[in-house]
Amino acid sequence: MLSPLLLLPLLAIMILNLPIRSLTQKLSVWVGVGLSLWQIVAVILLATGRGCTDTWGKFFTLGLSCDNLTLVLLMSIGIVTLTTILVGWQTIGGDKQRFGFMNLVFVAMIGMNGTVMLTDLFSLYIFIEVTAVASFILIAYQRDTNALEGAFKYIILSATATVMMLLSISIMLLVVGDTSFAAVGSAVKQSQGNPLVMFAVGIFICGLLIKGGVVPFHGWLPAAYSAAPAAASVLLAGIATKTSGIYALIRLTTSVFANNESVNSVLLLAGTISILVGAFAAIGQSDFKKMLAYSSISQVGYIILALGCGTNLAIIGAVFHLFNHSIFKSLLFVNSAAVETQSGTTDMNKLGGLGTKMPVTNATSLIAFLSTAGVPPLAGFWSKLIIVIALWQNGLHTYATIAVLASVLTLAYLLLMQRRVFFGKVADGLANVKEAGWGITVAASILATITVGVGVLFPWMFNSVLMPISSFLK
Amino acid sequence: MNDSFILLPIAIPFIAGLVVLLISQRIQSVKEAIALLATAATLGLTITLYGENINFSIPWTGFGIDFALRLYHFSAFILVAASAFSFLFVLYSCSFMRDKPYLNQFYSYLLITLAMANGAVLSDNLVLMLFFWEGLMLTMFGMIAIGRPGAYKTAIKAFIIVGGTDLCLMLGIGIAGHLAGTMTISKISLPVDFLGSLAFVFMMIGAISKAGSVPFHTWIPDAAVDAPLPFMAFLPASLEKLLGIYLLARISLDMFKLTAGSWISILLMTIGAITILLAVMMALVQKDYKRLLAYHAISQVGYMILGIGTCLPIGIIGGLFHMINHALYKSCLFLTGGAVEKQTGTTDLAKLGGIGIKMPVTFVCFLIAAASISGVPPFNGFYSKELVYDAALERGTIFYLAAILGTFLTAASFLKLGHAAFLGKRSEQNDNVRETSLPMLVPMIVIAAVCIVFGVWNYLPLNDLIKPILGEERLAGYEFSPNTMLITITVIVLVGALLHHLFAAKVNGSGYKASDHIRHAPFLEVIYTKAEKRWFDPYDIGLKIVQGTSRLGWWIDRGIDWLYEDFAVQVAKGLSSIIKLAHTGSYSMYVVWSLIGVLFVVIMLMKSF
């Protein structure tokens, strides 16, 4: 049942692009909704142990594998893609434009699904690039100066990452002769003293850090997130960069460079700097989406920090936070999309008092920001708690303290955002603003429900869902 | 008689009080009728109950805390007195309080106060007593607060002082109950060892503050001005004295084995002597009818505490006799004050004068009560004070001297009051003053008459009311023969006071100014000025301390606030702007950062080589 996750979107692209455009342009959105819903169902089936036989795999030698980490990511991809499509349906005008957008989303889906399911460095790289290509075009979709600039920055830095990853892969091929995770992993373990291998590991990690937007490799991220069309930024911030950067990093650090001391200390440092720089930069932003972009950098920092800690509990926390982050950050971007489409701006100096005008957006944004800031009992609280506990248990008291204090900063800038956009007096010229359309509100409600649900059901989730996640750690 | 009849003195006024509260403000007469009927019924009932011995107990909260009531000689006597006073004050209020605001609350509080007082007196369980005792505090707060606008401040002051001392009482009850292993008052008999004396002192604080002793007295003069006048006659002048001294007598006679010569006895006598002198010194220089009376209400408590503190049967009898006498003449004095206020519209002595001839009945009642309080023979105050003098002299000359000096100053201040208010020159605006109405006169006349009866035929209350409280055993071997020497000294002191007043009034120009030379005497001048500025008021001192602490707390709070509100924000903003400056938007710069990052990571990973 794994290969359809790759093949169905591909099939969809092929069929939709047959020369019957007048029909397929109308159908594309429904196909997208169907595909993403099917992916969610498929993940649930896989997780409960049904449908594991891969009939299609007999015909295509894809070398897909699936463990619990993959399932979590596939689930996030399904959910975020669904919301992206709903938001896109609402915000992108014209059948033709929407059709193009849907095609790109399908490409990104193939890229992300492939990234999380494949088991060798080179394929990983290929699918990361597939996602990236789709992302470039998505960012530039509006074709104005900002969009092109954002896309350009992403391309330049991505190209740097590409060079480094390719270089690393070629070194690995030279030294190991194989690029499968298992082979590279054992080679790294055996050749601890080999400077060439360590160099390869280092630049591969740097490539992934660029893709994930970790400080100081994050230069492209704020521009790209804020320039992308509303729907695209949901996909990008919610899952695309998380999959291509952070997932890959989790996978590699756990199964390839397992618990290498120097790798861990690099990650701890990068995570902490990310948390702090992202949070402080977010405080100073007056653009809604830019603030969310910096907030994203800061939250990714937590995941990297947990990864650097390296214990099982920390990895669980990292994966859980990755999932939560993909939900609440998507939600925040969905809210920003609502604000952007209804008021025409994301400049917080011009916004204000939208809470009464847009009750659903207001309420869901409140949930999302409280979850991001780690307020109990929402989902974000639990994942941060696990990370902080793991850090503390591992003796990393300074990092744990910074992580806790930084969540105060998170609360500060998000509260500022909530107040400037939704609370207070209605700003000039916004008196006639109405609630966003159904697509956006439905998307926001789904994500808010998940955030609250995961948070409230945490005690149950911890033993039945979270602990099994660690089964991929050997 | 059925035992459960003992509940009625509590139930009747309480229910009547609630009913009065519910009746519409417009039908005043119905309220007054209900209040009169309820107090009359209570009075009748308590008189019927007098002489009975009833022990009534039903389970209440468990843990040895029963709803236990005990009617015996002492409590029955207090019950009758409280009910009688209540009846007279309600009668008086029918005229005095007419058309005043909050009338329904006034009657309701008065009736509930009576119910609570009866309950506290009857209780045979310490916790039950505390329950009623605290109830009294609430109605007291309410009664002061419905006075003139702004009276709530005085109400709060009274509430805090009384509440604080009630807390001491609670503590004392806790210790006593723990030591005795029971909460039933009639079963408690504790020695005055360390913990025992601690319990005694705490309970004593509760008792004497209820009676209005120094230093827990400072709310009374304020309430005299702010609260409705019947309240003053009702609570601080009579009912609270009855309750406070009742409790003091109960703890020092029954609950603790107090002996003459113990340090607690000395403590009590000292408090008594200080209370007499301090309060009377303040009373002497007051220029307001009601405030002057209020200070005397404090001063006279000193005699009762001194009497009981001697731990001699003669002193205790004197103290208790003085308690009932004081309730009589002081409430009578307050009632005359109310009559004067009602008729002239003021109680400021500067604006009064010469109205004695216009209000002859009030004046006569005033004269009788004033003679009583000054201890002029043959009025009742004279006899109770003689007993206290006798006991005080036996325990120490200094206590006797304090008491007799107090008598001199009391007499002087009442000569001044009478002179300034009723005699002397009449101002024009008082020319049309007339005698007050009958419902206000009757209580005054009745009480004044009782003052004379208790004076001339003093063996009646002494033998029938007071002596049985102590019982035959304690009184065995004591003779109550008049001490000729003491009587002579008293008479000389009183004559001295009269001469002093005449002389001072002549020198200072008028009766109103008769105490000015004391007010302005060197040294005393400074103390009086400071006292008037409330330097010595524990409440105000406490208030200042609290204010100081809260100001300090405020500064600390501001500091912490600044740390969060300004400092932290500025630091965050500064860092934020630095980071913002670094993000120039130039992609080449970002590539450079990334490459530096790569360099750093690679060095980190390869540094071991």
Side-chain angles (χ1 to χ4, degrees):
Chain A
M1 206 158 178
L2 292 173
S3 30
L5 289 171
L6 279 184
L7 296 175
L8 275 184
L10 192 64
L11 199 66
I13 296 172
M14 282 155 66
I15 293 173
L16 287 175
N17 284 286
L18 289 175
I20 39 166
R21 288 285 178 86
S22 53
L23 178 69
T24 52
Q25 277 182 3
K26 292 207 163 45
L27 268 179
S28 63
V29 200
W30 291 104
V31 173
V33 170
L35 264 181
S36 45
L37 280 176
W38 177 77
Q39 176 156 346
I40 294 169
V41 172
V43 171
I44 293 171
L45 286 179
L46 283 170
T48 49
R50 275 165 291 181
C52 278
T53 47
D54 193 356
T55 8
W56 293 33
K58 289 172 187 163
F59 305 102
F60 305 90
T61 320
L62 292 171
L64 302 179
S65 89
C66 170
D67 55 21
N68 287 330
L69 176 60
T70 307
L71 285 179
V72 172
L73 263 293
L74 285 175
M75 178 58 108
S76 311
I77 293 166
I79 295 169
V80 178
T81 315
L82 178 64
T83 53
T84 306
I85 292 166
L86 288 172
V87 174
W89 199 338
Q90 199 78 49
T91 55
I92 295 172
D95 278 348
K96 197 169 172 236
Q97 294 281 318
R98 212 179 286 148
F99 177 68
F101 178 78
M102 291 316 302
N103 274 317
L104 288 167
V105 171
F106 293 151
V107 174
M109 252 177 115
I110 297 171
M112 292 187 292
N113 285 349
T115 309
V116 298
M117 289 192 295
L118 282 158
T119 51
D120 72 280
L121 280 180
F122 193 71
S123 313
L124 184 77
Y125 158 75
I126 296 286
F127 280 93
I128 287 175
E129 285 305 304
V130 169
T131 318
V133 169
S135 305
F136 299 149
I137 309 172
L138 278 172
I139 293 168
Y141 206 70
Q142 284 167 329
R143 288 176 219 167
D144 54 18
T145 325
N146 265 339
L148 290 172
E149 191 193 327
F152 182 70
K153 277 182 191 161
Y154 190 18
I155 290 176
I156 294 292
L157 279 159
S158 252
T160 320
T162 304
V163 170
M164 292 193 289
M165 286 196 284
L166 273 178
L167 182 60
S168 167
I169 289 168
S170 44
I171 292 173
M172 289 297 185
L173 266 175
L174 257 174
V175 179
V176 185
D178 192 356
T179 57
S180 74
F181 291 162
V184 177
S186 58
V188 170
K189 223 174 257 168
Q190 283 159 12
S191 57
Q192 279 291 347
N194 190 339
L196 205 56
V197 171
M198 285 320 281
F199 176 72
V201 167
I203 55 176
F204 203 96
I205 288 178
C206 288
L208 294 177
L209 290 178
I210 291 178
K211 291 283 183 185
V214 176
V215 178
F217 309 97
H218 66 290
W220 60 273
L221 191 145
Y225 280 15
S226 59
S233 42
V234 175
L235 186 70
L236 271 178
I239 198 72
T241 54
K242 307 298 170 284
T243 310
S244 49
I246 310 307
Y247 157 76
L249 208 55
I250 295 178
R251 176 63 78 195
L252 294 187
T253 48
T254 51
S255 55
V256 182
F257 329 127
N259 274 328
N260 186 308
E261 288 254 331
S262 348
V263 172
N264 281 354
S265 54
V266 166
L267 293 178
L268 281 174
L269 210 58
T272 312
I273 295 174
S274 259
I275 292 175
L276 291 176
V277 171
F280 278 117
I283 287 179
Q285 298 305 319
S286 59
D287 185 274
F288 196 165
K289 285 170 85 176
K290 269 219 165 105
M291 171 177 276
L292 295 183
Y294 280 109
S295 157
S296 208
I297 294 174
S298 174
Q299 295 306 312
V300 162
Y302 279 98
I303 303 171
I304 304 289
L305 188 64
L307 219 47
C309 178
T311 59
N312 275 11
L313 189 64
I315 306 285
I316 290 174
V319 174
F320 192 25
H321 200 60
L322 178 61
F323 175 77
N324 286 337
H325 179 259
S326 74
I327 301 297
F328 58 62
K329 192 44 58 70
S330 305
L331 178 48
L332 283 169
F333 271 103
V334 169
N335 291 325
S336 80
V339 171
E340 191 179 1
T341 50
Q342 298 310 113
S343 70
T345 181
T346 52
D347 186 348
M348 288 195 282
N349 292 329
K350 293 178 191 158
L351 293 167
L354 292 179
T356 49
K357 308 274 179 192
M358 310 172 74
V360 177
T361 309
N362 180 29
T364 50
S365 161
L366 203 62
I367 290 171
F369 111 68
L370 290 175
S371 181
T372 313
V375 174
L378 297 166
F381 165 73
W382 299 111
S383 48
K384 275 191 187 176
L385 187 69
I386 293 177
I387 291 174
V388 169
I389 289 175
L391 286 169
W392 194 269
Q393 279 181 350
N394 210 20
L396 303 166
H397 297 182
T398 324
Y399 291 110
T401 314
I402 292 174
V404 171
L405 291 182
S407 64
V408 177
L409 284 175
T410 314
L411 191 65
Y413 65 73
L414 286 173
L415 197 61
L416 220 58
M417 175 279 288
Q418 186 77 12
R419 204 190 66 191
R420 287 165 80 178
V421 177
F422 295 104
F423 297 165
K425 270 199 298 198
V426 179
D428 294 337
L430 297 181
N432 297 320
V433 169
K434 288 193 191 67
E435 181 58 276
W438 65 270
I440 290 176
T441 49
V442 166
S445 310
I446 292 172
L447 294 172
T449 313
I450 295 173
T451 304
V452 175
V454 169
V456 173
L457 295 179
F458 175 77
W460 170 79
M461 288 209 38
F462 186 76
N463 285 323
S464 58
V465 180
L466 288 178
M467 290 313 287
I469 287 179
S470 62
S471 68
F472 74 89
L473 302 163
K474 274 136 207 156
Chain B
M1 188 173 284
N2 194 326
D3 275 2
S4 53
F5 269 38
I6 198 174
L7 287 173
L8 289 179
I10 306 170
I12 293 175
F14 188 77
I15 293 167
L18 294 183
V19 170
V20 166
L21 199 60
L22 293 176
I23 292 173
S24 160
Q25 184 82 11
R26 271 169 295 177
I27 36 178
Q28 281 191 24
S29 33
V30 176
K31 280 193 228 294
E32 287 160 359
I34 290 176
L36 266 177
L37 274 176
T39 45
T42 316
L43 178 60
L45 188 75
T46 49
I47 290 172
T48 337
L49 284 174
Y50 188 79
E52 303 271 341
N53 278 312
I54 300 176
N55 278 310
F56 176 86
S57 178
I58 47 174
W60 194 34
T61 65
F63 307 107
I65 302 165
D66 293 333
F67 197 95
L69 301 177
R70 178 177 174 221
L71 185 82
Y72 71 117
H73 183 79
F74 195 5
S75 57
F77 160 52
I78 302 284
L79 276 191
V80 173
S83 311
F85 280 121
S86 305
F87 174 71
L88 291 176
F89 296 143
V90 170
L91 186 64
Y92 183 85
S93 304
C94 286
S95 171
F96 185 86
M97 290 299 285
R98 200 148 252 270
D99 302 322
K100 292 257 166 69
Y102 310 115
L103 199 69
N104 54 341
Q105 288 188 43
F106 174 78
Y107 283 120
S108 174
Y109 292 149
L110 194 145
L111 289 167
I112 293 174
T113 304
L114 177 62
M116 293 294 157
N118 286 348
V121 170
L122 282 173
S123 301
D124 195 29
N125 188 294
L126 284 172
V127 179
L128 183 64
M129 189 197 73
L130 196 66
F131 171 79
F132 286 118
W133 203 265
E134 301 292 326
L136 277 172
M137 186 167 76
L138 294 181
T139 52
M140 178 194 77
F141 179 81
M143 277 178 117
I144 302 177
I146 59 171
R148 67 177 197 184
Y152 71 93
K153 277 186 183 167
T154 308
I156 289 168
K157 182 175 178 175
F159 192 79
I160 288 176
I161 293 176
V162 176
T165 53
D166 279 2
L167 218 60
C168 292
L169 178 65
M170 209 180 288
L171 209 58
I173 285 177
I175 300 172
H178 171 73
L179 288 177
T182 173
M183 284 287 178
T184 307
I185 299 176
S186 47
K187 287 182 192 160
I188 296 178
S189 180
L190 291 172
V192 195
D193 51 9
F194 175 70
L195 269 181
S197 58
L198 205 63
F200 180 87
V201 169
F202 277 130
M203 292 184 74
M204 178 201 80
I205 288 174
I208 66 172
S209 86
K210 195 58 140 186
S213 154
V214 171
F216 311 109
H217 66 286
T218 55
W219 63 275
I220 299 175
D222 294 345
V225 182
D226 288 337
L229 186 123
F231 162 80
M232 287 307 291
F234 183 52
L235 275 184
S238 54
L239 211 57
E240 293 200 325
K241 298 283 176 290
L242 293 179
L243 281 172
I245 299 302
Y246 169 76
L247 180 62
L248 185 66
R250 288 301 302 272
I251 59 173
S252 37
L253 294 180
D254 302 340
M255 283 178 59
F256 292 88
K257 291 170 192 151
L258 218 57
T259 49
S262 66
W263 66 273
I264 286 177
S265 155
I266 309 268
L267 175 73
L268 271 176
M269 286 195 294
T270 313
I271 291 175
I274 290 174
T275 302
I276 295 173
L277 287 178
L278 278 185
V280 82
M281 288 298 281
M282 286 307 294
L284 190 59
V285 299
Q286 297 306 314
K287 305 282 189 192
D288 184 278
Y289 204 134
K290 291 193 287 186
R291 266 186 92 85
L292 192 147
L293 292 181
Y295 275 109
H296 277 294
I298 300 157
S299 166
Q300 298 300 311
V301 179
Y303 287 101
M304 308 170 206
I305 297 175
L306 179 59
I308 293 176
T310 58
C311 294
L312 302 172
I314 188 166
I316 296 170
I317 284 181
L320 293 176
F321 191 29
H322 200 65
M323 165 187 79
I324 186 68
N325 289 340
H326 172 264
L328 289 167
Y329 58 64
K330 184 49 53 63
S331 53
C332 181
L333 284 169
F334 269 113
L335 297 186
T336 63
V340 169
E341 186 184 3
K342 179 95 173 169
Q343 299 305 320
T344 64
T346 181
T347 53
D348 187 351
L349 290 181
K351 294 179 190 153
L352 292 170
I355 55 171
I357 207 117
K358 298 278 185 186
M359 304 172 71
V361 183
T362 309
F363 184 40
V364 169
C365 290
F366 171 81
L367 278 182
I368 294 169
S372 278
I373 194 172
S374 308
V376 176
F379 297 103
N380 57 357
F382 168 75
Y383 291 101
S384 49
K385 280 188 182 176
E386 284 310 315
L387 293 172
V388 174
Y389 294 154
D390 209 339
L393 190 60
E394 196 170 321
R395 291 301 310 277
T397 322
I398 183 136
F399 297 116
Y400 172 69
L401 286 180
I404 199 77
L405 182 59
T407 301
F408 173 81
L409 292 170
T410 308
S413 70
F414 273 97
L415 285 165
K416 168 192 153 184
L417 176 62
H419 191 164
F422 292 99
L423 302 173
K425 231 177 73 186
R426 186 167 62 235
S427 62
E428 280 177 28
Q429 69 213 27
N430 288 339
D431 276 349
N432 298 322
V433 169
R434 279 180 297 142
E435 185 55 273
T436 188
S437 60
L438 197 62
M440 290 173 69
L441 284 177
V442 170
M444 284 193 265
I445 298 169
V446 170
I447 296 173
V450 177
C451 281
I452 298 174
V453 170
F454 276 18
V456 178
W457 293 281
N458 59 71
Y459 57 88
L460 284 177
L462 275 176
N463 288 340
D464 290 343
L465 296 176
I466 312 294
K467 282 182 187 168
I469 293 170
L470 270 79
E472 293 291 327
E473 305 146 43
R474 288 185 216 236
L475 294 175
Y478 266 95
E479 284 291 320
F480 289 93
S481 55
N483 187 326
T484 327
M485 183 193 78
L486 288 183
I487 295 174
T488 320
I489 295 177
T490 309
V491 172
I492 292 170
V493 165
L494 289 174
V495 171
L498 180 64
L499 291 176
H500 163 264
H501 177 75
L502 293 176
F503 177 72
K506 196 167 185 186
V507 170
N508 290 334
S510 72
Y512 171 67
K513 291 178 183 160
S515 63
D516 282 9
H517 62 285
I518 294 177
R519 169 70 181 77
H520 297 296
F523 180 67
L524 285 181
E525 160 106 59
V526 184
I527 297 201
Y528 272 127
T529 312
K530 288 192 171 161
E532 273 160 16
K533 287 181 185 159
R534 297 169 186 275
W535 273 44
F536 307 120
D537 187 338
Y539 177 77
D540 282 74
I541 294 169
L543 221 55
K544 281 202 183 78
I545 294 171
V546 169
Q547 278 167 354
T549 323
S550 69
R551 191 163 298 137
L552 187 73
W554 192 79
W555 282 114
I556 294 172
D557 176 72
R558 286 301 90 189
I560 295 170
D561 195 64
W562 175 83
L563 218 60
Y564 290 138
E565 195 97 322
D566 293 330
F567 181 74
V569 169
Q570 290 307 324
V571 167
K573 272 189 179 165
L575 282 173
S576 176
S577 57
I578 291 170
I579 291 171
K580 253 176 101 177
L581 275 180
H583 289 78
T584 50
S586 145
Y587 70 87
S588 47
M589 181 63 83
Y590 294 158
V591 172
V592 171
W593 290 0
S594 300
L595 292 180
I596 293 172
V598 171
L599 208 60
F600 177 75
V601 170
V602 169
I603 289 170
M604 281 277 283
L605 291 190
M606 298 179 68
K607 70 185 168 192
S608 50
F609 305 111

